[in-house]
Amino acid sequence: MNNAAKFFTIVLILLSLAGCKDKEPQTTCLYGDDVGDEKLQDILSTSDLYMSMLVSKDYNKLYELGSEQLKQMQTKDQFTTVFKLFEGAFGDIDFPMVEEVYYMKAQADEVQVWIPCNLGEPNINDLYLMPANEDLAVTHYRARTDLEILRVVMQMEKDGDKWLIRSIEINPMTIKHKRAEYYLQKALKYREENKLHLASLYYKTAILLSEVALNAHEYTVKTLTDQLKLIKVDYMPGDEAGNFQVWSTSGGGSYQVYNLDSAYEAGKLLVQISYMADALDDEEKLKKEAEDLAAFLDGKFPEYREGFDGVRVTAASMKAEQSMMSYHTTITWDMLDTKPKKTGPEKTGPVKTDEKEGEN
């Protein structure tokens, strides 16, 4: 091959590589009536059936109707446990009404792509991280329990002539009958009053109520998250790197705490402490550790009593064979008030580590 031919070949290769690099995923997101009558009815008839199974607590059947991807990611026990825990905290789901329907598709070389879905607001899209080269559908339902309003987000993928479940996520729209806007306004108020720990957890509560689904990125959530990052406080583990803190209590305990968040249970808004326990076999030991952590947090930051009903302690295990298990207990403020106060020097300051959060 002469030099001119070699040069021409190299140019063709470079142009080909450049073309591949610049190729953008081709995405489609149709909303509501734009989906088309036939496809819309096909999606709704299936998702309504799945929703009725969720209301009737037929969790095993829902798992059987899941996609291959769902079954690779979760066992049946893991899938059903999520719904049982939610049911225990919020109560039975009832009165579902469909509010939003999306049909999505992306042609791309990547395995997953972000698909933008716009509901009419210029330059503001919800982004869904979805698999490429699949027919996909997402339905949003509003439902309720005896106490709260919920959002159920169902994602499905087409398999032949059937729609299979990719995921079902249940998110609260209210906590203690209040929406995200209420918790945002309270967060701003606590921030002005320099009650920064309260402000941080109320921001987190507003974010929880604003989230559509785990793999959806909303403009509102991003705005609230950016505001939360501006607040710098101690004893607030749960950063993006997954680092935990060591909390040492006056009771002699030393705990690897990996997250502090808000949680809801049967009409109560709670401060949730998540920590790594040695094991989950000794329930009496776990209960004492939970009481110790709750008393420590209450003594260190009594301001939490102004905005919360108590503490929920969640323990994950350091044992690999218990990595998918957890222990939960709730301690209200009046339960702490009946406990005798512990005395002794208190060690101050959380110890940060570079270790990652354990599996939960």
Side-chain angles (χ1 to χ4, degrees):
M1 182 182 291
N2 60 35
N3 289 338
K6 289 181 180 178
F7 176 77
F8 183 68
T9 301
I10 292 170
V11 169
L12 285 177
I13 293 172
L14 291 174
L15 287 173
S16 175
L17 291 174
C20 291
K21 183 178 180 180
D22 293 336
K23 185 178 178 181
E24 294 290 333
Q26 301 299 307
T27 65
T28 298
C29 180
L30 302 177
Y31 169 68
D33 292 338
D34 291 338
V35 175
D37 290 343
E38 185 176 347
K39 195 181 297 293
L40 185 62
Q41 286 305 118
D42 184 33
I43 293 169
L44 281 175
S45 62
T46 305
S47 64
D48 284 348
L49 174 62
Y50 294 161
M51 189 69 212
S52 68
M53 292 178 182
L54 182 65
V55 170
S56 62
K57 305 179 186 178
D58 198 352
Y59 306 139
N60 289 334
K61 182 64 174 177
L62 283 171
Y63 183 79
E64 292 169 9
L65 294 166
S67 66
E68 181 180 344
Q69 185 255 7
L70 182 148
K71 293 173 181 176
Q72 288 175 349
M73 296 292 292
Q74 291 180 295
T75 66
K76 183 182 289 187
D77 283 345
Q78 291 167 355
F79 180 81
T80 58
T81 296
V82 171
F83 298 125
K84 291 174 183 176
L85 289 173
F86 195 94
E87 175 192 329
F90 284 85
D92 294 344
I93 300 173
D94 209 347
F95 307 110
M97 293 181 61
V98 67
E99 290 196 320
E100 300 175 19
V101 181
Y102 302 86
Y103 170 77
M104 304 179 193
K105 193 165 187 175
Q107 294 180 335
D109 295 330
E110 295 90 341
V111 176
Q112 289 184 310
V113 295
W114 286 101
I115 302 179
C117 291
N118 186 279
L119 301 185
E121 291 291 330
N123 302 318
I124 298 179
N125 294 315
D126 291 344
L127 297 174
Y128 287 82
L129 183 61
M130 304 294 271
N133 308 309
E134 300 275 0
D135 283 344
L136 306 161
V138 178
T139 54
H140 292 205
Y141 288 83
R142 180 190 294 243
R144 63 178 307 115
T145 65
D146 289 340
L147 297 174
E148 307 296 347
I149 300 173
L150 313 174
R151 177 190 291 111
V152 181
V153 179
M154 191 177 306
Q155 297 184 7
M156 302 182 296
E157 66 180 54
K158 196 75 168 179
D159 182 19
D161 60 350
K162 298 180 295 185
W163 287 103
L164 300 181
I165 300 168
R166 293 193 74 252
S167 67
I168 300 176
E169 296 176 34
I170 311 174
N171 298 300
M173 295 178 68
T174 64
I175 287 180
K176 300 187 75 169
H177 312 295
K178 303 290 194 304
R179 293 181 178 271
E181 294 80 4
Y182 169 83
Y183 290 97
L184 173 58
Q185 292 304 314
K186 293 289 283 187
L188 294 171
K189 175 178 176 289
Y190 290 140
R191 188 174 175 179
E192 290 174 357
E193 296 172 353
N194 204 35
K195 298 174 181 176
L196 299 183
H197 288 83
L198 263 178
S200 294
L201 290 196
Y202 265 61
Y203 265 117
K204 289 187 177 186
T205 307
I207 290 169
L208 171 68
L209 295 174
S210 300
E211 287 178 333
V212 171
L214 287 177
N215 67 340
H217 187 64
E218 279 205 307
Y219 177 81
T220 302
V221 172
K222 181 181 184 305
T223 302
L224 293 175
T225 303
D226 289 343
Q227 292 181 28
L228 173 60
K229 288 178 180 177
L230 297 176
I231 302 177
K232 307 297 181 184
V233 291
D234 56 359
Y235 292 96
M236 192 64 64
D239 59 24
E240 293 178 353
N243 298 325
F244 61 78
Q245 297 175 348
V246 176
W247 290 9
S248 299
T249 70
S250 59
S254 181
Y255 306 97
Q256 297 181 17
V257 181
Y258 62 86
N259 195 33
L260 192 76
D261 210 336
S262 62
Y264 175 91
E265 183 178 307
K268 295 181 176 64
L269 182 61
L270 306 165
V271 182
Q272 179 164 263
I273 304 171
S274 300
Y275 79 106
M276 298 300 299
D278 294 332
L280 302 180
D281 307 295
D282 189 342
E283 189 167 338
E284 189 61 32
K285 179 184 177 185
L286 291 169
K287 183 179 178 182
K288 289 180 179 178
E289 290 179 349
E291 291 173 350
D292 191 26
L293 276 165
F296 171 77
L297 190 76
D298 183 38
K300 192 77 175 172
F301 304 107
E303 67 191 62
Y304 281 129
R305 290 194 175 221
E306 184 176 338
F308 291 88
D309 299 304
V311 180
R312 186 173 193 256
V313 180
T314 296
S317 177
M318 293 186 188
K319 285 187 174 181
E321 62 270 25
Q322 295 179 335
S323 62
M324 301 307 297
M325 300 168 60
S326 59
Y327 168 85
H328 309 275
T329 190
T330 296
I331 303 167
T332 57
W333 302 131
D334 59 331
M335 292 168 66
L336 278 178
D337 291 338
T338 62
K339 293 283 181 183
K341 301 296 182 183
K342 294 180 180 179
T343 60
E346 181 184 289
K347 301 175 184 178
T348 59
V351 180
K352 295 183 179 179
T353 80
D354 293 328
E355 295 186 36
K356 302 296 182 183
E357 173 184 333
E359 288 186 31
N360 191 351

